[in-house]
Amino acid sequence: MTITEKVAYLKGLLEGKGVEDKEMNLIVEILTDLANDLADLEDYTAELTEQVDAVDEDLNTLEEDFYDEWDDDEDCDCCDCDCCDCDEEYYDVTCPSCNEDFEVDEDTLLDGGVECPNCGEHLEFDFDDEEIEDEE
């Protein structure tokens, strides 16, 4: 039973008993107004929820289209600009503390160390410059 129905039931009970009290009638009138306002708010919320869901679906479609296009651009060797990481190589690293895999770029390797993004352990890379030249 909704609030509107409960207020209507209460109003019917009071009318059935022949209550002519002004205060009681005023209380029932206020409750009726509140119940109607609540029903309007519930309708508005349902409508707003549908609109938000539609916007969310549109946004998801837009994100998929945009990021799929973005991912395609990252795989190219298009130019010598700073707009993408086309020429940057990444290396897989496994943290010995937490066994989490992550990637680092060549500059980070040459710096000699990095903190694990998962556990914060400082990892040091110790190798000769000859090893890097051999890989290239």
Side-chain angles (χ1 to χ4, degrees), residues 2 6 15 37-38 49 54 60 63 78 88 96-97 100 108 116:
T2 66
K6 289 178 182 178
E15 287 174 359
D37 289 347
L38 181 61
T49 300
N60 284 336
E63 285 176 343
C78 55
E88 196 164 344
S97 295
E100 189 71 26
T108 303
C116 174

Side-chain angles (χ1 to χ4, degrees), residues 8-126:
Y9 178 73
L10 176 63
K11 187 175 182 178
L13 285 176
L14 292 175
E15 287 174 359
K17 290 187 176 186
V19 175
E20 296 293 327
D21 189 13
K22 287 183 181 182
E23 290 86 9
M24 188 60 75
N25 288 333
L26 182 61
I27 290 173
V28 170
E29 187 178 320
I30 291 171
L31 288 174
T32 302
D33 290 344
L34 287 173
N36 290 335
D37 289 347
L38 181 61
D40 290 344
L41 283 173
E42 288 172 346
D43 292 342
Y44 178 74
T45 302
E47 182 181 326
L48 190 60
T49 300
E50 288 177 18
Q51 291 175 353
V52 168
D53 289 343
V55 168
D56 187 43
E57 288 175 16
D58 291 343
L59 180 60
N60 284 336
T61 302
L62 181 63
E63 285 176 343
E64 287 172 5
D65 291 346
F66 177 76
Y67 286 118
D68 283 347
E69 189 176 297
W70 183 267
D71 290 342
D72 292 342
D73 289 345
E74 284 185 5
D75 295 335
C76 70
D77 292 325
C78 55
C79 58
D80 292 330
C81 64
D82 292 333
C83 65
C84 57
D85 294 336
C86 296
D87 58 343
E88 196 164 344
E89 254 185 85
Y90 289 92
Y91 299 92
D92 291 329
V93 176
T94 302
C95 177
S97 295
C98 66
N99 293 323
E100 189 71 26
D101 294 329
F102 60 96
E103 293 182 339
V104 295
D105 60 7
E106 188 171 355
D107 292 337
T108 303
L109 286 176
L110 293 174
D111 287 344
V114 67
E115 287 188 10
C116 174
N118 187 46
C119 68
E121 178 76 22
H122 185 74
L123 307 177
E124 292 186 18
F125 306 114
D126 187 25

